[in-house]
Amino acid sequence: MHEPTRTRTTEPARYGDPVLYPTAIRQPAMPLAELPPGVEIVTLPGGYRALAYTQPAAPAVAPVGQPIPAWAKTTALLAPTLGGGIAAAGFGISYAAPGLIAMTDALWAAITLIAAGALAPLLLRAGRATGGRGGAPVQHVTQNISASGMFGRASGTLNNR
């Protein structure tokens, strides 16, 4: 549906020309000054002009802004900081992951070394005690190693007693 177009101009002379429009209905033209308030000349979709009652345009009212609460400002300022901190932590963890894997491998190796050092004497004594001879004599092995300089060749002696 078409809305009429509002104009406040006088009717063109071509509509009043009996040569161009011999079948046009001739109505007396009303001066624009005599139009009552709320009445205007409108152009209809077919090109005809007519008088019509119009609604006065409502004045635009600007919305009244409300102040922003302090907690909202604080939250808005902290959100990027918190997000940046989380991003930095994730970035650091991604770089530290290979080192953490290596450290866990080293930790397991240290745990097995400690466990082997603690259990080895118990297993050796248990193995010697079997055989019915009682405990075997304890052997002492000493080793002396010396080297000259940082990259010098090491030499040493081994004593079994």
Side-chain angles (χ1 to χ4, degrees):
M1 177 145 227
H2 296 285
E3 293 290 325
T5 305
R6 298 181 193 176
T7 59
R8 289 194 178 264
T9 61
T10 59
E11 188 173 334
R14 62 185 177 140
Y15 290 114
D17 189 3
V19 176
L20 294 176
Y21 300 100
T23 59
I25 299 173
R26 305 265 317 160
Q27 294 182 353
M30 180 179 228
L32 292 176
E34 293 182 9
L35 290 177
V39 175
E40 293 182 16
I41 297 175
V42 295
T43 303
L44 299 175
Y48 296 105
R49 293 189 176 192
L51 295 176
Y53 289 104
T54 58
Q55 299 272 338
V61 178
V64 178
Q66 296 179 351
I68 299 172
W71 65 267
K73 290 180 185 178
T74 305
T75 304
L77 290 173
L78 285 178
T81 306
L82 182 64
I86 291 171
F91 188 72
I93 288 173
S94 71
Y95 269 100
L100 291 174
I101 293 170
M103 282 194 296
T104 56
D105 291 344
L107 182 62
W108 281 114
I111 290 172
T112 56
L113 183 66
I114 291 170
L119 293 177
L122 297 175
L123 293 175
L124 289 176
R125 284 188 191 141
R128 287 185 193 158
T130 58
R133 295 180 304 180
V138 177
Q139 287 188 344
H140 293 284
V141 177
T142 59
Q143 186 175 13
N144 296 322
I145 299 174
S146 63
S148 60
M150 181 180 283
F151 297 107
R153 179 174 284 207
S155 62
T157 58
L158 185 65
N159 298 322
N160 264 336
R161 293 184 192 169

